[in-house]
Amino acid sequence: MSAARPTARPRRAGSTLRALFVSSRPVSWVNTAYPFAAAYVLGTGVGTHEADGFHLAVLVLGVVYFLVPYNLAMYGINDVFDYESDLRNPRKGGVEGALLDRSVHRTTLVAVVVTNVPFLVALVLLGGPWSWLVLAVSVFAVVAYSAPGLRFKERPFLDSLTSSTHFVSPAVYGLTLAGAHWTGSLLAVCVSFFLWGVASHAFGAVQDVEADRAGGIGSVATVIGARATVRLAFVAYVVAGLVVLATPFPGPFAAIVVVPYALNVLPWWSVADADADAANAGWRRFLLVNYLAGFLVTMVLIGYAATR
């Protein structure tokens, strides 16, 4: 008679919630909520007209969505379907990515649906066809990046384009939901932001180039190599700064924002693939530079609002 198989101990609700919290990357919440909030505020002029009550309610709804549920979807789906590769990645298990126990994988996917769907329904009801389209693109990019059958994260170059969409689309959605008038200057700002996103994802891929190749995972870095990817990121940052120079005052001041990012990747200008994991130091600095950049962008936005 064979011995009975031991039953798994049920996880406590508190530990499950903590796992979901960590998986949503709290350190990165602001990276998606802030673009939406800034775009919507500038597009509607909340605080300057009689419709403040309605716009303020929409602003709060959108900020809460892009702050937590959106990030839980983006990172939670990734953590579930990247579990096997994450087990072999020493960077996982902290601010650079959660290592979700198998026992919470199903719960994570259910939590993604439960937390996202109500917000999406509300935002659809509050918007129109153009905002629906942008929101659909945004959510599709979140799912397509990691979900089986799509896995855009394993499609070189498309990986960086999709990742950038994750952060730029909340801003575009905010502008569209606000009914903003699209001008050449506004388009330039969005293009600059998109280039920043492409550069940031590409540089982030450098540190994993050898591990990704060993695991059969494709990325922009596995195709063109660590050295070329660092240089691509540097050029994209610089071009992002040049593009924003085409905007009216005080927009050009935003070009200063790309300087610390460009300087941050320079130490690895000639890095070899075998040494690319050392670029993790630059990636950790990148997480801190984001807060400095957010401060500088806020100053520019205040200046823009003051001159309207």
Side-chain angles (χ1 to χ4, degrees):
M1 181 176 178
S2 60
R5 295 174 61 184
T7 57
R9 295 178 60 187
R11 292 180 64 90
R12 294 181 180 176
S15 62
T16 299
L17 289 175
R18 182 181 182 281
L20 294 175
F21 176 75
V22 173
S23 182
S24 70
R25 312 291 199 279
V27 72
S28 297
W29 285 358
V30 68
N31 294 340
T32 48
Y34 181 87
F36 167 79
Y40 190 76
V41 168
L42 291 177
T44 59
V46 171
T48 63
H49 51 68
E50 297 177 356
D52 280 357
F54 171 78
H55 287 300
L56 184 58
V58 176
L59 172 64
V60 171
L61 182 70
V63 167
V64 173
Y65 173 66
F66 285 108
L67 192 71
V68 184
Y70 182 83
N71 280 286
L72 178 60
M74 178 160 58
Y75 296 115
I77 294 172
N78 181 263
D79 287 341
V80 169
F81 294 111
D82 278 13
Y83 179 71
E84 293 298 333
S85 61
D86 285 350
L87 283 173
R88 297 185 290 273
N89 192 331
R91 294 195 300 110
K92 300 301 181 179
V95 297
E96 296 182 69
L99 185 58
L100 285 180
D101 188 88
R102 287 185 185 276
S103 63
V104 295
H105 284 188
R106 178 182 177 83
T107 301
T108 300
L109 296 179
V110 170
V112 167
V113 174
V114 170
T115 57
N116 276 258
V117 170
F119 281 94
L120 292 173
V121 170
L123 290 171
V124 166
L125 293 175
L126 291 169
W130 285 112
S131 69
W132 300 342
L133 176 61
V134 176
L135 187 60
V137 169
S138 185
V139 174
F140 174 76
V142 164
V143 175
Y145 187 74
S146 305
L150 295 170
R151 299 288 290 177
F152 284 7
K153 67 169 295 175
E154 295 186 14
R155 302 177 188 274
F157 299 103
L158 183 58
D159 56 347
S160 293
L161 296 175
T162 306
S163 177
S164 186
T165 301
H166 293 162
F167 302 98
V168 179
S169 60
V172 177
Y173 176 67
L175 290 167
T176 308
L177 189 62
H181 176 61
W182 285 89
T183 64
S185 296
L186 189 56
L187 183 61
V189 170
C190 291
V191 169
S192 177
F193 190 12
F194 193 81
L195 288 170
W196 169 87
V198 168
S200 299
H201 178 273
F203 180 62
V206 170
Q207 60 195 322
D208 293 326
V209 62
E210 289 290 87
D212 284 348
R213 282 181 180 152
I217 298 175
S219 74
V220 59
T222 63
V223 171
I224 64 176
R227 181 184 296 110
T229 305
V230 169
R231 296 178 181 183
L232 171 65
F234 178 82
V235 170
Y237 280 136
V238 172
V239 174
L242 293 176
V243 169
V244 84
L245 290 176
T247 61
F249 179 86
F253 282 110
I256 299 172
V257 173
V258 306
V259 174
Y261 288 107
L263 292 177
N264 185 48
V265 305
L266 275 182
W268 291 275
W269 182 261
S270 298
V271 68
D273 287 3
D275 302 319
D277 59 343
N280 177 248
W283 183 249
R284 287 180 174 271
R285 278 199 300 270
F286 166 85
L287 298 175
L288 296 176
V289 170
N290 280 343
Y291 289 94
L292 170 62
F295 170 77
L296 294 175
V297 169
T298 299
M299 295 300 100
V300 172
L301 293 177
I302 290 174
Y304 172 77
T307 58
R308 293 180 67 177

Short mmCIF file of all heavy atoms in Angstrom, two decimals, residues 211-279:
data_model
loop_
_atom_site.label_atom_id
_atom_site.label_comp_id
_atom_site.label_asym_id
_atom_site.label_seq_id
_atom_site.Cartn_x
_atom_site.Cartn_y
_atom_site.Cartn_z
N ALA A 211 21.75 35.15 -19.91
CA ALA A 211 20.75 34.26 -19.31
C ALA A 211 19.61 34.00 -20.28
O ALA A 211 19.10 32.87 -20.38
CB ALA A 211 20.22 34.88 -18.02
N ASP A 212 19.20 35.03 -21.01
CA ASP A 212 18.11 34.86 -21.98
C ASP A 212 18.52 33.92 -23.10
O ASP A 212 17.73 33.08 -23.55
CB ASP A 212 17.70 36.22 -22.55
CG ASP A 212 16.86 37.04 -21.57
OD1 ASP A 212 16.40 36.46 -20.57
OD2 ASP A 212 16.67 38.24 -21.81
N ARG A 213 19.75 34.07 -23.57
CA ARG A 213 20.21 33.17 -24.63
C ARG A 213 20.26 31.73 -24.14
O ARG A 213 19.85 30.80 -24.85
CB ARG A 213 21.60 33.60 -25.10
CG ARG A 213 21.59 34.79 -26.04
CD ARG A 213 22.98 35.14 -26.49
NE ARG A 213 22.97 36.29 -27.40
CZ ARG A 213 23.97 37.13 -27.56
NH1 ARG A 213 25.07 36.97 -26.83
NH2 ARG A 213 23.89 38.13 -28.40
N ALA A 214 20.73 31.55 -22.92
CA ALA A 214 20.82 30.19 -22.37
C ALA A 214 19.44 29.58 -22.21
O ALA A 214 19.27 28.36 -22.37
CB ALA A 214 21.53 30.23 -21.02
N GLY A 215 18.45 30.41 -21.92
CA GLY A 215 17.10 29.92 -21.74
C GLY A 215 16.28 29.91 -23.01
O GLY A 215 15.08 29.59 -22.98
N GLY A 216 16.89 30.30 -24.13
CA GLY A 216 16.18 30.31 -25.40
C GLY A 216 15.17 31.43 -25.52
O GLY A 216 14.21 31.34 -26.29
N ILE A 217 15.36 32.50 -24.75
CA ILE A 217 14.45 33.64 -24.78
C ILE A 217 15.03 34.73 -25.67
O ILE A 217 16.18 35.14 -25.51
CB ILE A 217 14.23 34.20 -23.35
CG1 ILE A 217 13.58 33.13 -22.47
CG2 ILE A 217 13.37 35.46 -23.38
CD1 ILE A 217 13.44 33.53 -21.02
N GLY A 218 14.23 35.21 -26.61
CA GLY A 218 14.69 36.25 -27.51
C GLY A 218 14.45 37.63 -26.93
O GLY A 218 13.51 37.84 -26.15
N SER A 219 15.29 38.58 -27.28
CA SER A 219 15.12 39.98 -26.89
C SER A 219 15.95 40.82 -27.83
O SER A 219 16.77 40.29 -28.60
CB SER A 219 15.58 40.21 -25.44
OG SER A 219 17.00 40.19 -25.35
N VAL A 220 15.77 42.11 -27.78
CA VAL A 220 16.57 42.98 -28.63
C VAL A 220 18.05 42.77 -28.34
O VAL A 220 18.89 42.80 -29.24
CB VAL A 220 16.16 44.46 -28.41
CG1 VAL A 220 16.35 44.88 -26.95
CG2 VAL A 220 16.95 45.39 -29.33
N ALA A 221 18.40 42.52 -27.06
CA ALA A 221 19.80 42.35 -26.70
C ALA A 221 20.38 41.02 -27.18
O ALA A 221 21.57 40.95 -27.52
CB ALA A 221 19.95 42.47 -25.18
N THR A 222 19.56 39.97 -27.22
CA THR A 222 20.08 38.69 -27.69
C THR A 222 20.34 38.70 -29.19
O THR A 222 21.15 37.93 -29.69
CB THR A 222 19.10 37.53 -27.37
OG1 THR A 222 17.87 37.73 -28.07
CG2 THR A 222 18.84 37.44 -25.88
N VAL A 223 19.66 39.59 -29.90
CA VAL A 223 19.81 39.66 -31.36
C VAL A 223 21.01 40.51 -31.77
O VAL A 223 21.83 40.10 -32.59
CB VAL A 223 18.53 40.21 -32.01
CG1 VAL A 223 18.75 40.50 -33.49
CG2 VAL A 223 17.40 39.21 -31.85
N ILE A 224 21.12 41.70 -31.19
CA ILE A 224 22.20 42.60 -31.63
C ILE A 224 23.35 42.67 -30.64
O ILE A 224 24.36 43.31 -30.91
CB ILE A 224 21.67 44.03 -31.90
CG1 ILE A 224 21.13 44.67 -30.61
CG2 ILE A 224 20.58 43.99 -32.96
CD1 ILE A 224 20.69 46.11 -30.80
N GLY A 225 23.23 42.01 -29.50
CA GLY A 225 24.31 41.98 -28.54
C GLY A 225 24.23 43.11 -27.52
O GLY A 225 23.57 44.13 -27.74
N ALA A 226 24.90 42.92 -26.40
CA ALA A 226 24.85 43.88 -25.30
C ALA A 226 25.41 45.24 -25.71
O ALA A 226 24.82 46.28 -25.42
CB ALA A 226 25.63 43.33 -24.10
N ARG A 227 26.57 45.24 -26.35
CA ARG A 227 27.22 46.50 -26.71
C ARG A 227 26.32 47.34 -27.63
O ARG A 227 26.09 48.53 -27.38
CB ARG A 227 28.55 46.22 -27.41
CG ARG A 227 29.32 47.48 -27.80
CD ARG A 227 30.60 47.14 -28.57
NE ARG A 227 31.53 46.40 -27.74
CZ ARG A 227 31.84 45.11 -27.90
NH1 ARG A 227 31.26 44.42 -28.89
NH2 ARG A 227 32.69 44.52 -27.11
N ALA A 228 25.81 46.73 -28.68
CA ALA A 228 24.96 47.45 -29.63
C ALA A 228 23.66 47.91 -28.96
O ALA A 228 23.14 48.99 -29.29
CB ALA A 228 24.66 46.57 -30.84
N THR A 229 23.15 47.13 -28.03
CA THR A 229 21.91 47.49 -27.37
C THR A 229 22.11 48.71 -26.47
O THR A 229 21.25 49.60 -26.41
CB THR A 229 21.36 46.32 -26.53
OG1 THR A 229 21.22 45.17 -27.38
CG2 THR A 229 20.01 46.66 -25.94
N VAL A 230 23.22 48.74 -25.77
CA VAL A 230 23.53 49.92 -24.94
C VAL A 230 23.62 51.16 -25.81
O VAL A 230 23.08 52.23 -25.47
CB VAL A 230 24.86 49.72 -24.17
CG1 VAL A 230 25.30 51.04 -23.53
CG2 VAL A 230 24.70 48.66 -23.10
N ARG A 231 24.25 51.05 -26.95
CA ARG A 231 24.40 52.20 -27.85
C ARG A 231 23.06 52.60 -28.45
O ARG A 231 22.79 53.79 -28.65
CB ARG A 231 25.44 51.88 -28.93
CG ARG A 231 26.82 51.65 -28.33
CD ARG A 231 27.88 51.28 -29.36
NE ARG A 231 29.17 51.06 -28.69
CZ ARG A 231 30.30 50.78 -29.32
NH1 ARG A 231 30.31 50.66 -30.66
NH2 ARG A 231 31.42 50.61 -28.64
N LEU A 232 22.23 51.62 -28.73
CA LEU A 232 20.88 51.90 -29.21
C LEU A 232 20.10 52.69 -28.16
O LEU A 232 19.42 53.68 -28.47
CB LEU A 232 20.14 50.60 -29.53
CG LEU A 232 18.64 50.73 -29.85
CD1 LEU A 232 18.44 51.52 -31.14
CD2 LEU A 232 18.00 49.34 -29.96
N ALA A 233 20.21 52.26 -26.90
CA ALA A 233 19.52 52.94 -25.82
C ALA A 233 20.02 54.38 -25.68
O ALA A 233 19.22 55.32 -25.52
CB ALA A 233 19.72 52.19 -24.50
N PHE A 234 21.31 54.57 -25.76
CA PHE A 234 21.89 55.91 -25.64
C PHE A 234 21.37 56.82 -26.74
O PHE A 234 20.95 57.95 -26.49
CB PHE A 234 23.42 55.83 -25.70
CG PHE A 234 24.11 57.17 -25.63
CD1 PHE A 234 24.33 57.78 -24.41
CD2 PHE A 234 24.52 57.82 -26.79
CE1 PHE A 234 24.96 59.03 -24.33
CE2 PHE A 234 25.13 59.06 -26.73
CZ PHE A 234 25.35 59.67 -25.49
N VAL A 235 21.40 56.33 -27.98
CA VAL A 235 20.93 57.13 -29.11
C VAL A 235 19.44 57.46 -28.96
O VAL A 235 19.01 58.59 -29.22
CB VAL A 235 21.19 56.39 -30.45
CG1 VAL A 235 20.50 57.11 -31.60
CG2 VAL A 235 22.69 56.29 -30.70
N ALA A 236 18.66 56.48 -28.54
CA ALA A 236 17.22 56.71 -28.38
C ALA A 236 16.96 57.77 -27.31
O ALA A 236 16.07 58.62 -27.47
CB ALA A 236 16.51 55.41 -28.01
N TYR A 237 17.72 57.75 -26.23
CA TYR A 237 17.58 58.78 -25.20
C TYR A 237 17.91 60.17 -25.77
O TYR A 237 17.18 61.14 -25.54
CB TYR A 237 18.51 58.50 -24.02
CG TYR A 237 18.01 57.46 -23.05
CD1 TYR A 237 18.87 56.48 -22.56
CD2 TYR A 237 16.70 57.47 -22.60
CE1 TYR A 237 18.43 55.52 -21.65
CE2 TYR A 237 16.25 56.51 -21.69
CZ TYR A 237 17.12 55.55 -21.22
OH TYR A 237 16.68 54.60 -20.31
N VAL A 238 19.00 60.25 -26.50
CA VAL A 238 19.42 61.53 -27.06
C VAL A 238 18.39 62.06 -28.06
O VAL A 238 18.03 63.24 -28.03
CB VAL A 238 20.80 61.41 -27.75
CG1 VAL A 238 21.15 62.69 -28.51
CG2 VAL A 238 21.88 61.12 -26.71
N VAL A 239 17.89 61.19 -28.93
CA VAL A 239 16.88 61.60 -29.91
C VAL A 239 15.61 62.04 -29.20
O VAL A 239 14.95 63.01 -29.61
CB VAL A 239 16.59 60.47 -30.91
CG1 VAL A 239 15.44 60.85 -31.84
CG2 VAL A 239 17.83 60.15 -31.73
N ALA A 240 15.27 61.36 -28.11
CA ALA A 240 14.09 61.75 -27.33
C ALA A 240 14.24 63.18 -26.84
O ALA A 240 13.28 63.97 -26.87
CB ALA A 240 13.90 60.80 -26.14
N GLY A 241 15.43 63.54 -26.40
CA GLY A 241 15.69 64.90 -25.95
C GLY A 241 15.62 65.90 -27.08
O GLY A 241 15.10 67.01 -26.91
N LEU A 242 16.13 65.51 -28.24
CA LEU A 242 16.12 66.43 -29.39
C LEU A 242 14.70 66.66 -29.88
O LEU A 242 14.35 67.78 -30.27
CB LEU A 242 16.97 65.84 -30.52
CG LEU A 242 18.48 65.73 -30.24
CD1 LEU A 242 19.18 65.05 -31.41
CD2 LEU A 242 19.07 67.13 -30.01
N VAL A 243 13.87 65.63 -29.86
CA VAL A 243 12.50 65.76 -30.34
C VAL A 243 11.72 66.76 -29.50
O VAL A 243 10.96 67.59 -30.02
CB VAL A 243 11.78 64.39 -30.33
CG1 VAL A 243 10.28 64.56 -30.56
CG2 VAL A 243 12.37 63.48 -31.40
N VAL A 244 11.90 66.71 -28.19
CA VAL A 244 11.13 67.59 -27.32
C VAL A 244 11.57 69.05 -27.45
O VAL A 244 10.86 69.96 -27.03
CB VAL A 244 11.23 67.10 -25.85
CG1 VAL A 244 12.48 67.61 -25.16
CG2 VAL A 244 9.99 67.50 -25.06
N LEU A 245 12.72 69.28 -28.05
CA LEU A 245 13.17 70.65 -28.30
C LEU A 245 12.25 71.36 -29.29
O LEU A 245 12.26 72.59 -29.37
CB LEU A 245 14.61 70.65 -28.83
CG LEU A 245 15.72 70.27 -27.84
CD1 LEU A 245 17.06 70.23 -28.55
CD2 LEU A 245 15.76 71.25 -26.67
N ALA A 246 11.47 70.59 -30.03
CA ALA A 246 10.57 71.17 -31.04
C ALA A 246 9.29 71.71 -30.43
O ALA A 246 8.45 72.27 -31.14
CB ALA A 246 10.22 70.12 -32.09
N THR A 247 9.13 71.57 -29.12
CA THR A 247 7.90 72.04 -28.46
C THR A 247 8.07 73.47 -27.98
O THR A 247 9.20 73.93 -27.76
CB THR A 247 7.56 71.14 -27.27
OG1 THR A 247 8.63 71.19 -26.30
CG2 THR A 247 7.37 69.70 -27.73
N PRO A 248 6.97 74.20 -27.82
CA PRO A 248 7.07 75.58 -27.35
C PRO A 248 7.48 75.67 -25.88
O PRO A 248 7.36 74.69 -25.14
CB PRO A 248 5.64 76.12 -27.56
CG PRO A 248 4.77 74.92 -27.56
CD PRO A 248 5.58 73.81 -28.12
N PHE A 249 7.93 76.83 -25.47
CA PHE A 249 8.33 77.07 -24.09
C PHE A 249 7.19 76.73 -23.15
O PHE A 249 6.02 77.05 -23.44
CB PHE A 249 8.74 78.55 -23.93
CG PHE A 249 9.16 78.91 -22.54
CD1 PHE A 249 10.47 78.72 -22.13
CD2 PHE A 249 8.24 79.44 -21.64
CE1 PHE A 249 10.86 79.05 -20.85
CE2 PHE A 249 8.62 79.77 -20.35
CZ PHE A 249 9.92 79.58 -19.95
N PRO A 250 7.48 76.06 -22.03
CA PRO A 250 8.78 75.66 -21.49
C PRO A 250 9.16 74.23 -21.85
O PRO A 250 10.02 73.63 -21.19
CB PRO A 250 8.56 75.80 -19.99
CG PRO A 250 7.14 75.39 -19.80
CD PRO A 250 6.40 75.86 -21.02
N GLY A 251 8.52 73.66 -22.87
CA GLY A 251 8.76 72.28 -23.26
C GLY A 251 10.22 71.90 -23.45
O GLY A 251 10.64 70.84 -22.98
N PRO A 252 11.03 72.74 -24.13
CA PRO A 252 12.42 72.37 -24.35
C PRO A 252 13.21 72.06 -23.08
O PRO A 252 14.21 71.32 -23.13
CB PRO A 252 12.99 73.60 -25.06
CG PRO A 252 11.83 74.14 -25.82
CD PRO A 252 10.67 73.96 -24.88
N PHE A 253 12.78 72.60 -21.95
CA PHE A 253 13.48 72.31 -20.71
C PHE A 253 13.39 70.82 -20.36
O PHE A 253 14.23 70.29 -19.61
CB PHE A 253 12.91 73.14 -19.56
CG PHE A 253 13.39 74.57 -19.55
CD1 PHE A 253 12.53 75.61 -19.85
CD2 PHE A 253 14.71 74.86 -19.26
CE1 PHE A 253 12.96 76.92 -19.85
CE2 PHE A 253 15.16 76.17 -19.25
CZ PHE A 253 14.28 77.21 -19.55
N ALA A 254 12.37 70.15 -20.89
CA ALA A 254 12.20 68.72 -20.62
C ALA A 254 13.34 67.90 -21.22
O ALA A 254 13.57 66.75 -20.83
CB ALA A 254 10.86 68.23 -21.15
N ALA A 255 14.07 68.49 -22.18
CA ALA A 255 15.20 67.78 -22.78
C ALA A 255 16.26 67.46 -21.73
O ALA A 255 17.02 66.49 -21.87
CB ALA A 255 15.81 68.62 -23.91
N ILE A 256 16.28 68.24 -20.67
CA ILE A 256 17.25 68.01 -19.61
C ILE A 256 17.01 66.66 -18.95
O ILE A 256 17.93 66.01 -18.44
CB ILE A 256 17.16 69.13 -18.54
CG1 ILE A 256 17.47 70.48 -19.18
CG2 ILE A 256 18.09 68.87 -17.37
CD1 ILE A 256 17.22 71.66 -18.26
N VAL A 257 15.76 66.22 -18.98
CA VAL A 257 15.39 64.97 -18.31
C VAL A 257 16.17 63.78 -18.85
O VAL A 257 16.50 62.85 -18.10
CB VAL A 257 13.87 64.72 -18.46
CG1 VAL A 257 13.49 63.35 -17.92
CG2 VAL A 257 13.09 65.81 -17.73
N VAL A 258 16.47 63.77 -20.15
CA VAL A 258 17.13 62.60 -20.73
C VAL A 258 18.61 62.53 -20.39
O VAL A 258 19.23 61.48 -20.54
CB VAL A 258 16.96 62.56 -22.27
CG1 VAL A 258 15.50 62.66 -22.67
CG2 VAL A 258 17.77 63.65 -22.95
N VAL A 259 19.18 63.63 -19.94
CA VAL A 259 20.62 63.66 -19.67
C VAL A 259 21.04 62.61 -18.65
O VAL A 259 21.99 61.83 -18.91
CB VAL A 259 21.07 65.07 -19.23
CG1 VAL A 259 22.54 65.05 -18.81
CG2 VAL A 259 20.85 66.06 -20.35
N PRO A 260 20.41 62.53 -17.46
CA PRO A 260 20.86 61.49 -16.51
C PRO A 260 20.66 60.08 -17.03
O PRO A 260 21.44 59.17 -16.71
CB PRO A 260 20.00 61.76 -15.27
CG PRO A 260 18.85 62.58 -15.73
CD PRO A 260 19.37 63.39 -16.87
N TYR A 261 19.64 59.86 -17.85
CA TYR A 261 19.43 58.53 -18.42
C TYR A 261 20.56 58.19 -19.39
O TYR A 261 21.09 57.06 -19.36
CB TYR A 261 18.10 58.47 -19.15
CG TYR A 261 16.89 58.48 -18.26
CD1 TYR A 261 16.08 59.61 -18.15
CD2 TYR A 261 16.54 57.36 -17.51
CE1 TYR A 261 14.95 59.62 -17.34
CE2 TYR A 261 15.42 57.36 -16.69
CZ TYR A 261 14.63 58.49 -16.61
OH TYR A 261 13.52 58.49 -15.79
N ALA A 262 20.90 59.13 -20.24
CA ALA A 262 21.97 58.88 -21.21
C ALA A 262 23.30 58.66 -20.51
O ALA A 262 24.08 57.76 -20.88
CB ALA A 262 22.07 60.06 -22.18
N LEU A 263 23.58 59.45 -19.49
CA LEU A 263 24.83 59.30 -18.74
C LEU A 263 24.86 57.96 -18.01
O LEU A 263 25.92 57.35 -17.85
CB LEU A 263 24.99 60.44 -17.74
CG LEU A 263 25.22 61.84 -18.34
CD1 LEU A 263 25.29 62.88 -17.23
CD2 LEU A 263 26.49 61.87 -19.18
N ASN A 264 23.70 57.49 -17.59
CA ASN A 264 23.62 56.25 -16.83
C ASN A 264 24.03 55.03 -17.65
O ASN A 264 24.56 54.06 -17.10
CB ASN A 264 22.19 56.05 -16.30
CG ASN A 264 22.06 54.84 -15.41
OD1 ASN A 264 22.86 54.64 -14.50
ND2 ASN A 264 21.05 54.02 -15.67
N VAL A 265 23.82 55.07 -18.97
CA VAL A 265 24.16 53.89 -19.79
C VAL A 265 25.58 53.96 -20.34
O VAL A 265 26.11 52.94 -20.79
CB VAL A 265 23.16 53.72 -20.96
CG1 VAL A 265 21.72 53.67 -20.46
CG2 VAL A 265 23.32 54.82 -22.01
N LEU A 266 26.20 55.13 -20.29
CA LEU A 266 27.53 55.30 -20.88
C LEU A 266 28.61 54.36 -20.34
O LEU A 266 29.47 53.92 -21.10
CB LEU A 266 27.99 56.75 -20.74
CG LEU A 266 27.51 57.72 -21.83
CD1 LEU A 266 28.08 59.11 -21.58
CD2 LEU A 266 27.92 57.22 -23.21
N PRO A 267 28.62 54.05 -19.04
CA PRO A 267 29.68 53.15 -18.55
C PRO A 267 29.71 51.79 -19.24
O PRO A 267 30.73 51.09 -19.19
CB PRO A 267 29.34 53.00 -17.05
CG PRO A 267 28.62 54.26 -16.70
CD PRO A 267 27.80 54.58 -17.93
N TRP A 268 28.63 51.42 -19.89
CA TRP A 268 28.57 50.11 -20.55
C TRP A 268 28.59 50.26 -22.07
O TRP A 268 28.14 49.37 -22.80
CB TRP A 268 27.31 49.37 -20.08
CG TRP A 268 27.44 48.98 -18.66
CD1 TRP A 268 28.05 47.86 -18.14
CD2 TRP A 268 27.02 49.73 -17.52
NE1 TRP A 268 28.03 47.88 -16.78
CE2 TRP A 268 27.40 49.01 -16.37
CE3 TRP A 268 26.35 50.95 -17.36
CZ2 TRP A 268 27.14 49.47 -15.08
CZ3 TRP A 268 26.09 51.41 -16.09
CH2 TRP A 268 26.49 50.68 -14.95
N TRP A 269 29.14 51.35 -22.55
CA TRP A 269 29.19 51.64 -23.98
C TRP A 269 29.84 50.51 -24.77
O TRP A 269 29.42 50.18 -25.88
CB TRP A 269 29.95 52.95 -24.20
CG TRP A 269 30.03 53.39 -25.63
CD1 TRP A 269 31.08 53.23 -26.49
CD2 TRP A 269 29.02 54.08 -26.38
NE1 TRP A 269 30.79 53.78 -27.72
CE2 TRP A 269 29.53 54.32 -27.68
CE3 TRP A 269 27.74 54.54 -26.07
CZ2 TRP A 269 28.81 54.98 -28.67
CZ3 TRP A 269 27.01 55.20 -27.05
CH2 TRP A 269 27.55 55.41 -28.33
N SER A 270 30.88 49.90 -24.21
CA SER A 270 31.60 48.83 -24.92
C SER A 270 31.53 47.50 -24.19
O SER A 270 32.41 46.65 -24.34
CB SER A 270 33.08 49.24 -25.09
OG SER A 270 33.20 50.42 -25.88
N VAL A 271 30.49 47.29 -23.42
CA VAL A 271 30.37 46.07 -22.63
C VAL A 271 30.27 44.83 -23.53
O VAL A 271 29.62 44.86 -24.57
CB VAL A 271 29.14 46.15 -21.70
CG1 VAL A 271 27.84 46.14 -22.49
CG2 VAL A 271 29.15 45.02 -20.68
N ALA A 272 30.95 43.77 -23.12
CA ALA A 272 30.87 42.50 -23.84
C ALA A 272 29.69 41.70 -23.31
O ALA A 272 29.27 41.88 -22.16
CB ALA A 272 32.17 41.72 -23.66
N ASP A 273 29.17 40.81 -24.13
CA ASP A 273 28.03 40.02 -23.71
C ASP A 273 28.32 39.24 -22.42
O ASP A 273 27.45 39.13 -21.55
CB ASP A 273 27.64 39.03 -24.81
CG ASP A 273 26.97 39.72 -26.00
OD1 ASP A 273 26.87 40.96 -25.97
OD2 ASP A 273 26.56 39.02 -26.94
N ALA A 274 29.53 38.72 -22.31
CA ALA A 274 29.89 37.92 -21.13
C ALA A 274 29.88 38.73 -19.84
O ALA A 274 29.75 38.18 -18.75
CB ALA A 274 31.26 37.29 -21.34
N ASP A 275 30.02 40.05 -19.96
CA ASP A 275 30.06 40.92 -18.77
C ASP A 275 28.80 41.75 -18.62
O ASP A 275 28.73 42.64 -17.76
CB ASP A 275 31.27 41.87 -18.87
CG ASP A 275 32.59 41.13 -19.01
OD1 ASP A 275 32.75 40.10 -18.32
OD2 ASP A 275 33.43 41.57 -19.80
N ALA A 276 27.80 41.48 -19.43
CA ALA A 276 26.62 42.33 -19.49
C ALA A 276 25.81 42.33 -18.20
O ALA A 276 25.09 43.28 -17.91
CB ALA A 276 25.73 41.91 -20.65
N ASP A 277 25.93 41.26 -17.38
CA ASP A 277 25.16 41.25 -16.15
C ASP A 277 25.56 42.37 -15.19
O ASP A 277 24.80 42.75 -14.31
CB ASP A 277 25.27 39.89 -15.45
CG ASP A 277 26.72 39.52 -15.11
OD1 ASP A 277 27.64 40.14 -15.68
OD2 ASP A 277 26.92 38.62 -14.28
N ALA A 278 26.76 42.93 -15.40
CA ALA A 278 27.22 44.04 -14.57
C ALA A 278 26.37 45.29 -14.79
O ALA A 278 26.34 46.20 -13.96
CB ALA A 278 28.68 44.35 -14.86
N ALA A 279 25.65 45.34 -15.93
CA ALA A 279 24.79 46.49 -16.23
C ALA A 279 23.62 46.58 -15.26
O ALA A 279 22.90 47.58 -15.26
CB ALA A 279 24.28 46.40 -17.67
#
